[in-house]
Amino acid sequence: MRAQLILVGLLSTLFAVEAAAAPGMAAVTVTPAVNGGETWSLSIQVLAMMTALSLLPAALISMTSFTRIIIVLAILRQALGTAQTPSNQILIGLSLFLTLFVMSPVFGKIYNDGVKPYLDETITPGEALQKSASPLRSFMLDQTRETDLGMFADIAKVEEGSLESRDTVPFSLLVPAYVTSELKTAFQIGFLVLIPFLVIDLVVASVLMSMGMMMLSPMIISLPFKIMLFVLVDGWALIIGTLASSFYV
């Protein structure tokens, strides 16, 4: 038994020495491309892809329609007064799938213009990144207010002549301006959602006060009326349809 263990140890050592002596794959390799550019090795491309995937949650929140949708749905739940119904998981899941629905034309164009040609090896990674960013830039610019974009341009002291074209707006200015505009739009929609439920709360509170029932919480009485009103007007379809159409007006 001991001899077998010694033999296994010797074989393992030999294999380890042979593997260490064998030439490995170069970590960084740059080869000239046909159009005069440079092509990086596969290991560097995989590293860049993994880094981009780690930033995917931040990009999903700050560069898509997710921010506006989740804020409006959260305000709607607060207006209904149903505490944790629907739960956070349901709201986030609904927001994600509604985001995919709203962003599907943009994602389709990104795939057709940038990802597919890159997978077919007809363009370089740099060209694929540039072509993939163009549809997303157009979507964000359509939803961004000029005042917000101008505010961040003034903070960054960007020259006015450098922002004459939509393609010249850097993402370092566009992303914070887009998020600021989305927050403002989301709260505007949320304010309109709150008004009818606020009226119901005021009416119920006034009736209870006039009846001398001060110890009874108005939220307990108004909750069934708010749910009934929301169901009668088909509130979910109204809210979700309004959110989806608000990005392509």
Side-chain angles (χ1 to χ4, degrees), residues 4 9 12 56 63 74 79 82 91 102 113 120 161 166 168 176 190-191 204 206 219 239 247 249:
Q4 293 178 353
S12 301
L56 186 60
M63 301 174 68
T82 54
L91 290 185
V102 172
D113 295 348
D120 295 337
R166 293 166 62 96
T168 59
F191 172 76
V204 171
S206 300
M219 296 294 296
I239 293 294
F247 290 95
V249 176

Side-chain angles (χ1 to χ4, degrees), residues 28-156:
V28 179
T29 304
V30 182
T31 57
V34 179
N35 56 358
E38 295 179 344
T39 302
W40 296 85
S41 61
L42 181 61
S43 58
I44 296 299
Q45 295 182 25
V46 172
L47 178 62
M49 183 65 67
M50 296 301 294
T51 304
L53 289 177
S54 66
L55 298 176
L56 186 60
L60 176 65
I61 294 174
S62 60
M63 301 174 68
T64 64
S65 58
F66 182 82
T67 301
R68 182 189 305 185
I69 295 171
I70 190 63
I71 290 177
V72 172
L73 293 180
I75 293 177
L76 172 63
R77 184 177 65 180
Q78 186 71 25
L80 285 171
T82 54
Q84 295 298 319
T85 304
S87 63
N88 292 332
Q89 291 84 353
I90 294 176
L91 290 185
I92 292 175
L94 178 59
S95 301
L96 284 174
F97 281 103
L98 192 55
T99 299
L100 292 177
F101 173 78
V102 172
M103 300 294 296
S104 57
V106 179
F107 291 155
K109 197 169 183 181
I110 290 175
Y111 177 79
N112 293 328
D113 295 348
V115 178
K116 189 175 184 301
Y118 172 69
L119 295 177
D120 295 337
E121 299 183 354
T122 57
I123 59 175
T124 62
E127 293 175 342
L129 183 61
Q130 183 178 3
K131 292 184 177 181
S132 299
S134 181
L136 190 59
R137 182 197 302 272
S138 298
F139 171 80
M140 295 171 66
L141 283 172
D142 290 339
Q143 313 300 325
T144 304
R145 294 176 175 83
E146 293 183 1
T147 55
D148 295 330
L149 190 61
M151 178 186 68
F152 284 99
D154 293 337
I155 294 174

